[in-house]
Amino acid sequence: MSDALTTVAVAMFAGAVRVSTPFLFVSLGEALTEKSGRINLGLEGTLVFGAMSAYAVSYLSGSPWTGVLAAGLAGSVFGMAHGFFCRLPKVSDIAIGIALMLFGTGLAFFFGKGFIQPTAPRLQAIDFGFLTSDPQLKVALQINPLFFIGLALAVVLWWALANTRFGLIVRMTGDSAATAKAMGVSVDLVRFVATTIGGFLAGVGGAFLSLYYPGSWNEGLSSGQGLMAVALVIFSRWNPLMCVAAALLFGAAGALGPALQSVGISQGYHFFNAAPHILTLAILIASSSSKRSLKGAPGELSITK
Amino acid sequence: MSETGGRAIGVETVGMTKIFGSLVALEDVSIRVRPGTLHALLGENGAGKSTLVKCMMGFYQPTRGEMLVDGQEAAIRNPREASDAKLGMVYQHFTLVPSLTAAENLVVSRPDCPAVIDWAHEILALEDFMARMPFRVPLATPVANLSAGEKQKLEILKQLYLDRRFVVLDEPTSVLTPDEADEMLSLLKGMTQRGELTILMITHKFREVTAYADEVSILRRGRLVGGGLVGEMTTDEMARAMIGDTAIRERAARLEHGQTSVVLDLSAVYASDDDGLPAVTSVDLKVHAGEIVGIAGVSGNGQSELIEVLSGQRDLDDGRILVRGQGFEPVRDQMDRLKVFSLQEEPLRNSAVPRMTVAENIALRTFDKPPITSLGWWLSPGPMRKKARELIDRYRVKTPSTEEPMENLSGGNVQRAVLARELSGDVDVLIVANPCFGLDFASVSEIRTQILEQRNRGAAVLLVSEDLDEILELADRVAVMSGGRITLQAPIGATDRTAIGHAMAGGH
């Protein structure tokens, strides 16, 4: 029994590391976008389109890292589109987000039809297996470099929000657009840039899906990670470091189903697979109250205003 | 008095005119603010004060007219050019970022803010700067946690930090207790006298003008109608220039009621603010029939939350509300049965549906009763409009028709329409919050008279106001709220401005 428990624990750890990466990228991007005062719900579409373009470019060029870059650039284009439409008068960022989500997924399916069959070169993991002799842990310690890039990005973003002019201006724009305007800051430009960077990161998150785990391109690739990342940003109170913790938690929850199955518990498999979604729901309920406003929320955010 | 050695700069406008579409907001205004003076800009709401200063600060482009800075013609096309010319403005609504600390707010406002901020160095520089200033604020606290007075000080410090030599202050004392206001104005006055700064202060408080300003300019309906050295003008002259020949309704006389019974009775009322923190703490208050109890206090000390509890917009955490000895829960049918009515602050937001018509808004309390409703469910617009027309006439609401969306009416007329709805019936309890905020003299006088008439008729009136003069004028008894508690309760004759001021600052 304790063997099974270890197996599940190790599998969940491996899952947390593996599954969390797309959550991490999308939520870091979304955290930056929301810090600037806009919410981009279209990241799900960006993620799927990023996954498709990464796979396609990796297949065509033979280099998975070129694929990652392509996914990021494709994501930036979606971010730019969001930023551009939202600066028009009386346009709701939420409606544009939903439109871009559907558009991104649709477009990815349209262009991705031809890439479902072929096998593209995938990203290689870094093997930390030498650290242990346990065979299960050896497998778990195959970690993708993107995970470490995500961790580094979280620290950089956290630092930059407090210690750079760019960071302060993003926070100012997100908290009080009137102040930013009074100081001659172009609110639309700041949000455009923040949304574009957010799109880039979401695209890279998508590349991880198609080029590493699960590691192929098909239409059922994303199970709503892009949308859950929005919940995750609220859960982490717009703090990039908390995003890491939240992404790991969501990753571990996502690995629960397969982990239990691997030790022979297949009862309630689908229920355990739904763990991240249930977690999303639980967190949103637990973290909101009808009586108090959300702590730490950027003042300009349309959902919390 | 030319202060060539001083840092303060003088600013002059010449024939400043601003036309928005068909509206002439500002017509041929020339004012001269000499360096090293504190110049007051007086005028009613809508007189063009903000339009004038916004033209000076580059927010608006004047239709005609020009500006002289230190005697030189200067084109100020946007706020950045204003700041280059060392002109700055402190807005009535704060322009600090709530989630940023005071230090972050100051550093990010600097045009030469470095791309990567060396906080150790910046904090030292800021502490050094603060040490030279007449007042200081904590640097490491997020602005959201500062008091209104500290925010106001930080706004002014920001102007000095940015090395502005001419600063416009828009109603700088509206969020301060009388003591804080006096302290701040005398410090600023000192700075102008030392030639460090020139100040143009928008205000409507004559007391501040006579006590602190050197010169005054008075605007009415977009025109400069008076001004000069403060020492050479009486407040009466200033008031007449401000109001002009507008007919002001004679205030109703105050009837003496003698001993009356308690109508509204709050005991140990507790409520929380939007962050779940205690906002109203153990408030006990009794309002008798035919009495106005005025709650004074600096905004943000729990008054809004108290009003929201009484009007059903916020949950009561603990305590009891009784009306004529019966438990009162602020829901529609109880308000109707116990005749509880209210005039809320910001009426367009709190007591009207902006996109519904004037007639519909006026019917909000009666639409489900005959004659508007028959058979319990059938609404007829005819009687609704008829009733609305009657009330529009009686309360002199200026509206093109009963079918005009409420949001198209001016502030004074929205308040009159709400007044018509709330006061036309039989009123036992009236809850009023900042009823005259942002209104012109004629409306203010009208609304205060109506409130007084309800009192004379025997209603129990609870009046919350940030305008101490309004409380001193209307209330029979005054209560002061500070930090969510009642810190003073006294009959109006038994207290004075100083005692109230101390209580507003939290003293007892």
Side-chain angles (χ1 to χ4, degrees), chain A residues 19-187:
Chain A
V19 183
S20 67
T21 309
F23 279 125
L24 183 55
F25 274 89
V26 181
S27 63
L28 287 179
E30 182 69 9
L32 179 65
T33 307
E34 290 189 19
K35 270 282 183 196
S36 80
R38 259 197 205 133
I39 188 160
N40 183 359
L41 288 180
L43 290 185
E44 173 73 11
T46 313
L47 182 87
V48 174
F49 194 85
M52 189 283 296
S53 32
Y55 200 76
V57 169
S58 169
Y59 172 70
L60 295 173
S61 70
S63 152
W65 286 103
T66 315
V68 172
L69 187 66
L73 293 179
S76 322
V77 173
F78 275 91
M80 284 180 198
H82 190 274
F84 172 77
F85 287 125
C86 289
R87 72 182 302 170
L88 302 173
K90 294 193 177 178
V91 167
S92 148
D93 51 351
I94 293 188
I96 292 293
I98 292 172
L100 281 177
M101 173 167 81
L102 298 172
F103 181 68
T105 351
L107 210 61
F109 293 172
F110 177 76
F111 286 119
K113 276 276 184 277
F115 297 101
I116 296 176
Q117 284 299 328
T119 313
R122 295 172 42 181
L123 290 169
Q124 292 305 308
I126 306 175
D127 194 352
F128 290 95
F130 59 86
L131 291 173
T132 173
S133 55
D134 187 303
Q136 282 178 355
L137 265 178
K138 264 188 192 307
V139 181
L141 285 174
Q142 308 253 332
I143 297 174
N144 190 290
L146 275 177
F147 177 72
F148 296 108
I149 295 176
L151 290 186
L153 259 175
V155 175
V156 168
L157 193 60
W158 169 76
W159 174 83
L161 282 173
N163 292 290
T164 63
R165 181 177 58 205
F166 174 76
L168 288 189
I169 286 182
V170 165
R171 282 165 64 201
M172 174 170 71
T173 312
D175 214 28
S176 171
T179 308
K181 272 187 199 143
M183 285 177 31
V185 170
S186 164
V187 171

Side-chain angles (χ1 to χ4, degrees), chain B residues 435-452:
Chain B
C436 300
F437 187 78
L439 303 184
D440 55 277
F441 271 105
S443 306
V444 167
S445 174
E446 175 89 39
I447 286 161
R448 288 189 184 160
T449 302
Q450 296 276 1
I451 294 172
L452 214 52

